[in-house]
Amino acid sequence: MDVCGAYGCVPLRIKPCGLASEPGGMTQRSCVYFGARYVLGPIREAVHLVHGPVGCGYYGSMVRGEAKDLYGTALSAREVIFGGLEKLRRAILEAFSLRPSARGAFLYATCTTGLIGEDLTGLAREVERYSGRRVVVVDCPGFSGKSQAGGHAVAYRSLLNLVRSSPRAEHPTVNLIGEYNVAGEAREIKRLLEKLGIKVHTVLTGDTSFPEIERLSRAHLNLLFCGSTAREFALGLKERFGLPYLKVSFYGLSAVGASLRKVGEVLGLSSTKVEAVIREEEARAFREIRSWLKLFSGKRVLVVLGAGRLGPLGRMLRELGFEVTGAASVFGSPEDHREAAPFSGFLTDDPGDDEFEKALLALKPDLVITNAREQWRAVKLGFPTLSFPQERRRGPYTGYKGFINFVNNLVRILSAPVWRLRAL
């Protein structure tokens, strides 16, 4: 069935959030184990060990575009038939001996170990008594959910059990929750908060360590960035430790200003100081981007991303003068779609490769913004395409400096002579 709106009719079915991918479809979703690795993989001062076949070790070794240390048991048919717990016990102890500074371990269960039903929790408690270090079982067999979103939830439940009660910090202190720091976003966010006199205890999980997670409750406030992945975790911290949270966005001038004002209000900061910082930063950003706004005015964009970015990005694109003709999430939640709806011609979830291509040919957008996996189809069809999240070398898009960087990247892509060769 076609979807019709202000930009014509598109041969797409609108899919609500929360459904399993259709058999035979070429989905861009990943498995539950991958989702758990995405959240936990970069945590420092910890051993990461996957109990499964060697293929799971390979699949989990790249996290957010970077290689991460990952030990594995490389299960063979012999362990599948006769049991692999003894091999796992030796692997954990060997990993601890190779990483004496590790404060604990994350032990990932995969499809294979889920099917043969080994008692990983019992073994973890035994190793804890022997080694004196925490061993966290991450129960994430790939088949146990509809997408990597299930792994995000499993990972954050594991982290919640690590947090201990700690005395509050002396100075105004926050945690950044659900900020994955793929291209250095946390650096710009910290810079702005520090200008207001606010300290950042840790960035979950873009820049964090095992001990920092254990002492999360020393902060006065959690700033929630990705509600899709971390909202339940923020709610859990509020219930267990009375630690409030605030949903914020640092994408786009209006969102950054609004977020800084909300943070300042909750922490009791001087509004005069907050407004001075916002005025100074906005003035600098306007000076840098003003000359490019005519290039963006009225240009149409198709966006296919993780759901948590659809709303903030749509708001930022509208601020620059773009029109978002349509948007799709790879695995969305109703909250994300409600936030994104005012900025998009239509919204759908889990588009297959064929549907994405049909949407490109029907809408003929001036710009496509999508993730690293989806970008190549649009590029091969000749559409100016921005990969988001971007490579680390391109720098962050958050905050005021990130907004300028985002604009410069858009100008570079839209002005590239290669797109004149498009043969559509």
Short mmCIF file of all heavy atoms in Angstrom, two decimals, residues 100-124:
data_model
loop_
_atom_site.label_atom_id
_atom_site.label_comp_id
_atom_site.label_asym_id
_atom_site.label_seq_id
_atom_site.Cartn_x
_atom_site.Cartn_y
_atom_site.Cartn_z
N PRO A 100 45.37 -8.32 35.21
CA PRO A 100 45.32 -8.22 36.67
C PRO A 100 44.65 -6.94 37.17
O PRO A 100 44.18 -6.89 38.31
CB PRO A 100 46.80 -8.27 37.07
CG PRO A 100 47.56 -7.92 35.85
CD PRO A 100 46.74 -8.39 34.69
N SER A 101 44.59 -5.89 36.33
CA SER A 101 43.97 -4.64 36.77
C SER A 101 42.45 -4.66 36.63
O SER A 101 41.77 -3.73 37.09
CB SER A 101 44.53 -3.46 35.97
OG SER A 101 44.23 -3.64 34.59
N ALA A 102 41.89 -5.69 36.01
CA ALA A 102 40.44 -5.74 35.81
C ALA A 102 39.73 -5.87 37.15
O ALA A 102 40.10 -6.69 37.99
CB ALA A 102 40.07 -6.91 34.90
N ARG A 103 38.68 -5.05 37.33
CA ARG A 103 37.92 -5.08 38.59
C ARG A 103 36.77 -6.09 38.55
O ARG A 103 36.15 -6.39 39.57
CB ARG A 103 37.36 -3.69 38.86
CG ARG A 103 38.45 -2.65 39.10
CD ARG A 103 39.08 -2.84 40.46
NE ARG A 103 38.10 -2.60 41.49
CZ ARG A 103 37.84 -1.40 42.02
NH1 ARG A 103 38.51 -0.36 41.59
NH2 ARG A 103 36.92 -1.26 42.96
N GLY A 104 36.46 -6.59 37.36
CA GLY A 104 35.37 -7.54 37.23
C GLY A 104 35.31 -8.07 35.81
O GLY A 104 36.20 -7.79 35.00
N ALA A 105 34.26 -8.85 35.53
CA ALA A 105 34.14 -9.45 34.20
C ALA A 105 32.69 -9.45 33.75
O ALA A 105 31.77 -9.57 34.57
CB ALA A 105 34.68 -10.87 34.22
N PHE A 106 32.51 -9.30 32.43
CA PHE A 106 31.21 -9.49 31.81
C PHE A 106 31.27 -10.80 31.03
O PHE A 106 32.15 -10.97 30.17
CB PHE A 106 30.87 -8.33 30.87
CG PHE A 106 30.65 -7.03 31.58
CD1 PHE A 106 31.63 -6.04 31.56
CD2 PHE A 106 29.47 -6.80 32.27
CE1 PHE A 106 31.42 -4.85 32.23
CE2 PHE A 106 29.25 -5.59 32.94
CZ PHE A 106 30.24 -4.62 32.92
N LEU A 107 30.36 -11.71 31.36
CA LEU A 107 30.35 -13.04 30.74
C LEU A 107 29.11 -13.14 29.87
O LEU A 107 27.98 -13.15 30.36
CB LEU A 107 30.33 -14.09 31.85
CG LEU A 107 30.13 -15.54 31.45
CD1 LEU A 107 31.19 -15.98 30.46
CD2 LEU A 107 30.17 -16.42 32.70
N TYR A 108 29.31 -13.19 28.54
CA TYR A 108 28.19 -13.14 27.59
C TYR A 108 27.74 -14.56 27.24
O TYR A 108 28.56 -15.39 26.78
CB TYR A 108 28.60 -12.43 26.30
CG TYR A 108 29.09 -11.02 26.50
CD1 TYR A 108 30.42 -10.75 26.82
CD2 TYR A 108 28.22 -9.94 26.37
CE1 TYR A 108 30.87 -9.45 26.99
CE2 TYR A 108 28.66 -8.64 26.54
CZ TYR A 108 29.99 -8.40 26.85
OH TYR A 108 30.44 -7.11 27.03
N ALA A 109 26.45 -14.85 27.44
CA ALA A 109 25.86 -16.12 26.99
C ALA A 109 25.35 -15.94 25.57
O ALA A 109 24.78 -14.91 25.23
CB ALA A 109 24.71 -16.51 27.91
N THR A 110 25.58 -16.92 24.71
CA THR A 110 25.18 -16.83 23.31
C THR A 110 24.08 -17.85 22.99
O THR A 110 23.61 -18.57 23.88
CB THR A 110 26.40 -17.10 22.41
OG1 THR A 110 26.86 -18.43 22.69
CG2 THR A 110 27.51 -16.10 22.68
N CYS A 111 23.70 -17.93 21.74
CA CYS A 111 22.65 -18.87 21.34
C CYS A 111 23.02 -20.30 21.75
O CYS A 111 22.19 -21.05 22.28
CB CYS A 111 22.44 -18.83 19.83
SG CYS A 111 21.72 -17.30 19.23
N THR A 112 24.27 -20.68 21.51
CA THR A 112 24.68 -22.06 21.78
C THR A 112 24.57 -22.38 23.26
O THR A 112 24.00 -23.41 23.64
CB THR A 112 26.13 -22.27 21.30
OG1 THR A 112 26.22 -21.88 19.93
CG2 THR A 112 26.54 -23.72 21.46
N THR A 113 25.09 -21.51 24.11
CA THR A 113 25.03 -21.79 25.54
C THR A 113 23.60 -21.67 26.06
O THR A 113 23.23 -22.35 27.02
CB THR A 113 25.96 -20.83 26.32
OG1 THR A 113 25.77 -19.50 25.86
CG2 THR A 113 27.40 -21.21 26.13
N GLY A 114 22.79 -20.84 25.40
CA GLY A 114 21.38 -20.77 25.78
C GLY A 114 20.66 -22.06 25.47
O GLY A 114 19.82 -22.52 26.25
N LEU A 115 21.01 -22.67 24.36
CA LEU A 115 20.33 -23.91 23.96
C LEU A 115 20.72 -25.10 24.83
O LEU A 115 19.89 -25.94 25.18
CB LEU A 115 20.64 -24.22 22.49
CG LEU A 115 19.90 -23.36 21.46
CD1 LEU A 115 20.47 -23.60 20.07
CD2 LEU A 115 18.42 -23.67 21.49
N ILE A 116 22.00 -25.20 25.21
CA ILE A 116 22.42 -26.36 26.01
C ILE A 116 22.17 -26.13 27.50
O ILE A 116 22.31 -27.07 28.30
CB ILE A 116 23.90 -26.74 25.74
CG1 ILE A 116 24.84 -25.58 26.12
CG2 ILE A 116 24.10 -27.09 24.28
CD1 ILE A 116 26.32 -25.91 25.91
N GLY A 117 21.82 -24.89 27.89
CA GLY A 117 21.32 -24.65 29.24
C GLY A 117 22.33 -24.78 30.35
O GLY A 117 22.04 -25.34 31.41
N GLU A 118 23.53 -24.24 30.16
CA GLU A 118 24.56 -24.35 31.22
C GLU A 118 24.31 -23.32 32.32
O GLU A 118 23.78 -22.22 32.07
CB GLU A 118 25.93 -24.16 30.60
CG GLU A 118 26.30 -25.32 29.67
CD GLU A 118 27.74 -25.29 29.27
OE1 GLU A 118 28.22 -24.22 28.87
OE2 GLU A 118 28.40 -26.32 29.36
N ASP A 119 24.73 -23.66 33.52
CA ASP A 119 24.51 -22.80 34.70
C ASP A 119 25.64 -21.78 34.81
O ASP A 119 26.57 -21.93 35.61
CB ASP A 119 24.42 -23.67 35.96
CG ASP A 119 24.19 -22.82 37.20
OD1 ASP A 119 23.79 -21.63 37.06
OD2 ASP A 119 24.39 -23.34 38.32
N LEU A 120 25.56 -20.71 34.02
CA LEU A 120 26.62 -19.69 34.04
C LEU A 120 26.60 -18.90 35.34
O LEU A 120 27.65 -18.50 35.86
CB LEU A 120 26.46 -18.74 32.84
CG LEU A 120 26.50 -19.36 31.44
CD1 LEU A 120 26.64 -18.26 30.39
CD2 LEU A 120 27.61 -20.36 31.29
N THR A 121 25.40 -18.66 35.87
CA THR A 121 25.31 -17.88 37.11
C THR A 121 25.99 -18.62 38.27
O THR A 121 26.73 -18.01 39.06
CB THR A 121 23.83 -17.62 37.46
OG1 THR A 121 23.22 -16.93 36.36
CG2 THR A 121 23.70 -16.79 38.71
N GLY A 122 25.77 -19.93 38.38
CA GLY A 122 26.43 -20.71 39.44
C GLY A 122 27.94 -20.67 39.31
O GLY A 122 28.66 -20.50 40.31
N LEU A 123 28.43 -20.78 38.08
CA LEU A 123 29.88 -20.72 37.87
C LEU A 123 30.42 -19.32 38.20
O LEU A 123 31.50 -19.20 38.79
CB LEU A 123 30.21 -21.09 36.42
CG LEU A 123 31.70 -21.06 36.09
CD1 LEU A 123 32.44 -22.17 36.83
CD2 LEU A 123 31.94 -21.18 34.59
N ALA A 124 29.66 -18.29 37.83
CA ALA A 124 30.10 -16.92 38.11
C ALA A 124 30.28 -16.71 39.62
O ALA A 124 31.27 -16.11 40.07
CB ALA A 124 29.09 -15.91 37.54
#
